[in-house]
Amino acid sequence: MTHSGKTVIVIGGGLAGLATATLLSDRGFQVTLIEQKHRLGGRTFSFQDRTTSDVVDNGQHILMGCYHYTLRWLKFLGQAQPTQTGRLIHIPFAAPHKKLSSLIIPVLPMPMHLLVGILRFKNLSFWERLLLIKAGLKLPFQHIPETISVDDWLKDLGQNENLKTYFWNPVCLAVMNESLQNASAKLFATALKHMFLVKGDYSRIIIPKTGLSELFVIPSEVLIRQNGGIVLLDREVDKIQLANDQITGITLNNKNLLQADVYVSAVPQSGFFNIIDKDIRDKHFQAMAVLRTSPIISIYVWLTGIQTDQLFHGSFIGCIHTKIQWIFKKSDSLLEITISGAVDMINRQREEIFELIVGELEILFADFKGSMVRHFLVIKERNATFSQPPDSGYHRPSCRTPIKNFYIAGDWTDTGLPATIEGAVKSAYTAVDHVCAEYLR
């Protein structure tokens, strides 16, 4: 690596910030990474449970074969390919008092893999399966307005309520962290096309076999420091100094002044306005003020007297007609349960959430009893993703800003993707390309 002599300050140590910092340090920039928390990783990290000493993530994150930028970055970090299911998609489903079949998409040339998988999906009637195939055949050729919801789009496609319940709603919650009524149809359709209609192996599911910090955070910090970069934790940006539409420095909460050639904000949209003065915000960034966030709740359940394999086969299962959307096996005695789009649950007490989950597990699995739980942990991520309703695309900022040496990265920027790890990492590559084009000429 050759040092360029250029300096950059990256604000925010989540995945967008880590990817931006590692990639720019590799391009020869002297990097300073600033994070307000005592740890890196943002909304994607792992930690040790105090009671069991098990390492758990702050929430289950699934990667896919279509995560081009994420897999490219992991390779750059020297990380081995995470555990994956292969090219076959096999998603079992469960519902209270009802036996459901799995969605199995076989290894066949595109689009035959989808046609065969849908035709075998017996949670739907044969007529409903044909309606689903018809919608899929229309997808590549549709121009979807920015202003309609997924629910309205599905009505236009003739998708009935049973199709929404047993197929579309689980997929929408997983992809968008939003209900059908609240999610942008344009963004959702873009994600579906990318996952299922580009390459056959893009739809494969990849489940990390290590903690998220071990996978992303630790190797990123090591690389930044190895390349001579600086990582500052427990540091907040107090003020950004601006002159002639250019940043001249930033003041931290400890009153230190830091200066660089380039500045990249990689904080989530919920924190962006905390680092931008009102006059700068009103002049340049007012359009993004309408963006909101959507929560996710994760519940870890440690079992005794029963093994997780006795509840269901496979590494995870989707749930219908329950508050639970997904259940993942983390070990022989540990389950991780996900509640996406948890707007109506996020303000409940943790004990209340746990009791609700235990009740649903008892209904879903005949062999499960609440007395088998020896420990539980409820994790609330109030700002897990940015909210992605219709019209949200109009308000997502581009990477380049009217401030000459200031760039924005983050899954909430105008990546064309939903709020995913892939969106965060893609935004970093976009920011790095712009910075290098401008400062390494």
Side-chain angles (χ1 to χ4, degrees):
M1 182 195 70
T2 303
H3 288 284
S4 66
K6 300 293 184 180
T7 57
V8 59
I9 291 175
V10 179
I11 307 168
L15 291 196
L18 289 171
T20 301
T22 54
L23 294 169
L24 285 175
S25 71
D26 188 64
R27 303 284 184 94
F29 283 80
Q30 173 67 44
V31 172
T32 299
L33 177 63
I34 302 170
E35 169 55 47
Q36 69 170 353
K37 296 187 176 74
H38 66 280
R39 55 157 183 84
L40 297 172
R43 293 161 290 163
T44 309
F45 66 96
S46 49
F47 61 95
Q48 191 173 54
D49 175 63
R50 293 178 180 177
T51 300
T52 65
S53 297
D54 289 336
V55 174
V56 296
D57 297 326
N58 70 312
Q60 180 65 52
H61 290 263
I62 288 180
L63 312 182
M64 295 193 72
C66 61
Y67 280 25
H68 167 75
Y69 291 95
T70 305
L71 297 177
R72 176 181 168 190
W73 184 47
L74 283 172
K75 185 177 180 180
F76 165 76
L77 292 175
Q79 293 294 82
Q81 183 80 335
T83 297
Q84 60 188 56
T85 62
R87 293 183 60 194
L88 177 76
I89 286 185
H90 185 171
I91 304 176
F93 287 95
H97 314 299
K98 186 173 183 179
K99 184 176 178 61
L100 296 181
S101 67
S102 300
L103 175 62
I104 302 174
I105 299 178
V107 182
L108 290 173
M110 186 187 70
M112 288 301 297
H113 66 318
L114 282 178
L115 294 175
V116 173
I118 291 171
L119 286 173
R120 291 176 177 174
F121 189 43
K122 296 184 179 179
N123 295 337
L124 307 173
S125 70
F126 183 71
W127 175 246
E128 288 167 340
R129 283 174 257 170
L130 293 181
L131 286 175
L132 187 55
I133 289 172
K134 184 179 178 181
L137 292 174
K138 288 183 177 180
L139 182 59
F141 310 103
Q142 282 197 304
H143 173 72
I144 302 172
E146 189 80 56
T147 54
I148 69 170
S149 69
V150 174
D151 193 55
D152 290 336
W153 175 57
L154 295 178
K155 289 176 184 175
D156 291 341
L157 291 172
Q159 306 294 286
N160 63 24
E161 292 303 315
N162 202 55
L163 272 162
K164 293 177 186 178
T165 297
Y166 288 97
F167 183 81
W168 289 112
N169 194 55
V171 175
C172 186
L173 281 167
V175 173
M176 303 285 289
N177 193 32
E178 298 276 5
S179 68
L180 299 177
Q181 294 76 21
N182 294 331
S184 162
K186 182 176 182 179
L187 190 58
F188 181 55
T190 299
L192 292 180
K193 285 187 278 190
H194 195 54
M195 288 189 291
F196 296 111
L197 297 176
V198 177
K199 290 176 63 178
D201 64 350
Y202 271 26
S203 57
R204 77 185 190 272
I205 295 172
I206 303 173
I207 301 177
K209 62 184 178 182
T210 63
L212 295 173
S213 291
E214 184 179 348
L215 183 65
F216 293 111
V217 179
I218 295 172
S220 295
E221 183 175 7
V222 168
L223 190 148
I224 293 166
R225 294 186 186 279
Q226 283 179 344
N227 287 344
I230 298 170
V231 178
L232 299 177
L233 301 179
D234 293 308
R235 296 288 189 275
E236 291 187 39
V237 174
D238 186 55
K239 184 177 179 59
I240 291 180
Q241 299 181 358
L242 197 68
N244 300 320
D245 279 335
Q246 182 165 314
I247 296 177
T248 58
I250 62 173
T251 305
L252 302 182
N253 57 344
N254 63 0
K255 306 306 179 184
N256 284 351
L257 174 67
L258 301 181
Q259 294 178 302
D261 298 305
V262 191
Y263 301 81
V264 180
S265 168
V267 300
Q269 89 284 4
S270 56
F272 181 77
F273 285 161
N274 294 334
I275 68 169
I276 299 293
D277 288 347
K278 186 178 184 302
D279 56 341
I280 302 175
R281 176 184 69 198
D282 292 344
K283 183 178 180 180
H284 296 302
F285 304 110
Q286 193 59 43
M288 65 183 75
V290 301
L291 294 174
R292 297 293 181 263
T293 59
S294 184
I296 294 176
I297 298 175
S298 300
I299 305 98
Y300 285 91
V301 176
W302 282 263
L303 303 176
T304 184
I306 190 172
Q307 291 194 332
T308 53
D309 282 343
Q310 295 173 252
L311 299 178
F312 60 90
H313 298 294
S315 56
F316 64 96
I317 190 168
C319 302
I320 309 293
H321 290 309
T322 56
K323 291 292 185 182
I324 298 170
Q325 275 95 49
W326 302 97
I327 306 174
F328 297 86
K329 290 179 186 174
K330 307 302 288 186
S331 72
D332 290 342
S333 61
L334 177 59
L335 297 173
E336 191 276 336
I337 296 160
T338 299
I339 304 176
S340 300
V343 176
D344 62 338
M345 297 278 291
I346 196 67
N347 290 322
R348 297 192 186 187
Q349 296 297 316
R350 284 172 167 78
E351 292 75 12
E352 182 185 357
I353 294 171
F354 168 68
E355 289 173 5
L356 185 149
I357 293 305
V358 166
E360 291 196 339
L361 290 174
E362 288 180 333
I363 295 173
L364 288 170
F365 307 113
D367 293 334
F368 177 85
K369 305 297 178 187
S371 58
M372 295 173 175
V373 178
R374 64 181 176 90
H375 176 57
F376 74 93
L377 177 67
V378 177
I379 301 171
K380 297 180 180 182
E381 286 287 347
R382 291 182 177 273
N383 303 313
T385 66
F386 75 93
S387 186
Q388 302 154 87
D391 286 344
S392 59
Y394 293 135
H395 305 287
R396 297 173 72 175
S398 63
C399 171
R400 299 192 68 171
T401 76
I403 300 173
K404 297 174 185 176
N405 59 344
F406 184 51
Y407 302 82
I408 305 175
D411 61 2
W412 61 288
T413 60
D414 189 16
T415 64
L417 298 175
T420 57
I421 287 176
E422 178 69 355
V425 179
K426 180 182 179 181
S427 77
Y429 274 93
T430 301
V432 168
D433 287 343
H434 280 301
V435 170
C436 290
E438 184 68 26
Y439 289 89
L440 296 184
R441 289 183 294 184

